[in-house]
Amino acid sequence: MFIRSALAALSLVCATASAADLSILAVYGQPKNDDVVSDGIGAELQWRSWYTDTMAFAFAAGGIVHGANDDAYILPGDTFSGVQTDGNVTLLPVGPSLLLRAPSDGGVTTHLELGARYLLVDSGIDLARVRTGADGQTVSELDTLEFDNGIIGLGRVEFSTPIGATTAFAAGVGYQVDLVKGDLTYKGAKAGEAEWAGLFFTAGLHLTW
């Protein structure tokens, strides 16, 4: 429903847009809560339809991969100790944005972005748990730490400069917050909440029509 509504709104805006561009960006994310995952790297495509010279509506889709944190992760209230094995979690964010562009004389242009993304999450992080029983024997188990989907809101400041007639280089920094947190699940039981709030950095190209 979220994605369908965003696409319908974007289609309506595109019908009256005066110009459009495609943004191709590399993304580096730094989650504030790194108990489970480390920094991530990925990419985003963003179609921007400029309704006026200073305002655009956009739809973005991308992917970012976070590796498992090397430090131990203890499940809440657990008597086991936890160690994450090799693995990663892939986020597929999709959603709309509002863009505001400051007037420019052809040099550096400043953009402000406010948006929301629905996060499709695919987990490949295995959590090994070990403890020593009363009899001195080691008890261990291994299973996948599952992440539910979520929704984030984001804000970003971006600076771009032309490098060709229809091409510009862009770089930006932003912050994202959790609007709807998905559950972390281990062996069918809730093990916490997935949190993706934190800084992110972008760099790439704008291709203008």
Side-chain angles (χ1 to χ4, degrees), residues 82-203:
V83 178
Q84 285 147 357
T85 61
D86 291 338
N88 56 63
V89 59
T90 302
L91 306 182
L92 301 175
V94 293
S97 286
L98 170 67
L99 295 165
L100 301 176
R101 178 170 61 188
S104 172
D105 59 1
V108 176
T109 301
T110 303
H111 299 83
L112 174 63
E113 176 183 4
L114 298 174
R117 302 287 187 269
Y118 184 79
L119 298 180
L120 299 165
V121 186
D122 180 26
S123 176
I125 293 180
D126 291 329
L127 181 65
R129 303 160 79 220
V130 296
R131 72 175 178 182
T132 301
D135 57 0
Q137 298 296 311
T138 298
V139 179
S140 64
E141 59 183 39
L142 175 68
D143 207 338
T144 300
L145 189 62
E146 298 289 349
F147 293 70
D148 285 346
N149 299 337
I151 299 176
I152 60 170
L154 60 87
R156 180 167 63 110
V157 176
E158 182 185 71
F159 304 96
S160 65
T161 185
I163 57 174
T166 60
T167 308
F169 173 77
V173 59
Y175 194 86
Q176 62 190 36
V177 296
D178 293 296
L179 300 180
V180 177
K181 296 180 181 180
D183 288 340
L184 286 176
T185 305
Y186 183 77
K187 296 183 76 67
K190 184 174 179 179
E193 292 183 320
E195 299 181 2
W196 304 107
L199 284 170
F200 65 93
F201 304 87
T202 58

Side-chain angles (χ1 to χ4, degrees), residues 13 19 48-52 54-58 97-101:
V13 171
R48 305 176 174 191
S49 296
W50 292 95
Y51 187 66
T52 70
T54 59
M55 185 179 70
F57 292 94
S97 286
L98 170 67
L99 295 165
L100 301 176
R101 178 170 61 188

